[in-house]
Amino acid sequence: MREHDNIAIFKGEQLNPPVDLFIPPDAFEIWLDQFEGPLDLLLHIIRKNNFDILDIPISDITTQYMSYIDYLEEERFELASEYLVMAAWLAEIKSRILLPTPEVDDIEEELDPRQELIRRLQIYAQYKEAANQLSQQAIFYRDTFPVSPETPNIVIETPAPTIELSQLLQALEKIIARANLHQKHQVESEKISINDRIDEIMDRLSPEKPLPFTELINPAEGRYGITISFLSLLELARKQQILLTQEEAYSDILITLYRE
């Protein structure tokens, strides 16, 4: 062996392998003809030679099969034992075909010694085809993966409902209806102005504690007193001196004193 036979060149640089490096004899051997069992080998021989699986030429198949067995015994002796049983069966079938067949009655059908082998090969071919189709499908955790996204913590704040003039009018109608129910006779009350009623309302209101709309209007004052109180509240709202709020839809209208 020449000295430069052990030298490797990588990107123009010389690489010397370690002196004590041990490489097994078959480390770089590629095993190409590998079958999953005797039936797989027989099916390969049939398809390779375009044989009819329903009319198997036992002699040709046995010859090719035994050549593969000889190759296994030389290269992979530990695998050869798996194929010897099938080799013995092929030899039996071949011998039964070569031996003269005894005469049988017309009614009795002559059994073909290849039928059992054909039946097993057909079943194996169906399972192998099904396995090939399944292997082409997407496999969980190989081609597809589960996704479990974290849901964001969404806090939905419901805005407070806005107070419209129609709601104030509906509340006023309810108070007037209550006043009509409680009014049994006409009572002449002292006339009060809007300015005086505004002062009274402002004295009762505070920025901290809201008062319901119904507590600021007294049904006992009759239509005139209710109207004056309602107009006073509208004037205060127009001047932005009071705040009209609701804790939820269709609940009582709350009034608080506006604080800048």
Side-chain angles (χ1 to χ4, degrees):
M1 180 181 294
R2 292 173 297 178
E3 182 180 357
H4 64 272
D5 290 341
N6 294 329
I7 298 176
I9 304 298
F10 178 72
K11 292 185 178 180
E13 297 183 2
Q14 176 178 322
L15 299 178
N16 295 321
V19 180
D20 57 347
L21 179 63
F22 172 73
I23 301 177
D26 58 349
F28 300 102
E29 182 177 357
I30 300 176
W31 183 250
L32 296 178
D33 295 333
Q34 186 175 8
F35 301 97
E36 297 179 358
L39 287 176
D40 194 31
L41 173 58
L42 286 178
L43 191 62
H44 170 74
I45 295 174
I46 293 173
R47 291 177 176 176
K48 180 180 178 181
N49 295 274
N50 294 323
F51 292 149
D52 185 3
I53 196 173
L54 299 178
D55 188 16
I56 299 176
I58 286 294
S59 179
D60 294 339
I61 287 182
T62 304
T63 302
Q64 297 185 42
Y65 186 90
M66 292 307 300
S67 64
Y68 186 80
I69 294 295
D70 295 338
Y71 175 72
L72 284 180
E73 290 179 345
E74 295 178 2
E75 303 294 336
R76 289 291 186 273
F77 180 76
E78 68 278 2
L79 297 179
S81 59
E82 301 180 10
Y83 294 81
L84 292 178
V85 176
M86 178 62 70
W89 190 20
L90 290 175
E92 179 188 356
I93 295 175
K94 182 178 179 180
S95 63
R96 290 173 60 185
I97 293 176
L98 295 176
L99 291 175
T101 57
E103 296 182 359
V104 295
D105 298 336
D106 295 337
I107 302 175
E108 182 181 358
E109 295 182 358
E110 182 181 358
L111 296 179
D112 190 340
R114 302 173 298 175
Q115 289 301 317
E116 180 62 22
L117 177 61
I118 293 173
R119 186 185 67 84
R120 291 191 183 184
L121 285 172
Q122 287 177 327
I123 295 175
Y124 179 79
Q126 293 175 0
Y127 277 104
K128 187 172 183 178
E129 180 63 23
N132 290 334
Q133 293 180 3
L134 289 176
S135 65
Q136 296 175 3
Q137 302 297 325
I139 298 179
F140 205 49
Y141 286 107
R142 189 196 70 177
D143 305 317
T144 60
F145 301 90
V147 178
S148 299
E150 295 183 359
T151 56
N153 186 15
I154 301 176
V155 179
I156 301 177
E157 297 182 356
T158 304
T162 57
I163 306 300
E164 298 180 357
L165 181 59
S166 60
Q167 293 176 285
L168 288 175
L169 292 176
Q170 291 176 2
L172 180 64
E173 290 176 356
K174 293 180 181 179
I175 294 176
I176 293 176
R178 288 168 53 193
N180 293 334
L181 291 175
H182 292 285
Q183 186 175 359
K184 296 181 180 180
H185 58 279
Q186 187 70 26
V187 177
E188 293 293 339
S189 59
E190 182 180 358
K191 301 298 182 181
I192 185 172
S193 64
I194 292 180
N195 292 331
D196 294 337
R197 182 52 54 88
I198 288 177
D199 293 337
E200 292 179 4
I201 293 175
M202 293 292 289
D203 292 338
R204 298 183 60 186
L205 294 176
S206 66
E208 293 80 12
K209 185 179 180 181
L211 288 179
F213 174 77
T214 54
E215 291 188 11
L216 294 174
I217 297 180
N218 187 7
E221 293 180 347
R223 291 179 176 272
Y224 178 80
I226 294 173
T227 303
I228 292 297
S229 298
F230 183 71
L231 293 177
S232 301
L233 290 172
L234 291 179
E235 182 66 17
L236 290 173
R238 185 184 68 82
K239 294 180 179 181
Q240 296 184 352
Q241 293 180 311
I242 61 174
L243 294 176
L244 305 177
T245 58
Q246 271 183 325
E247 294 181 353
E248 57 184 12
Y250 306 108
S251 63
D252 291 337
I253 299 174
L254 303 178
I255 300 176
T256 55
L257 192 63
Y258 179 75
R259 174 186 291 177
E260 296 182 359

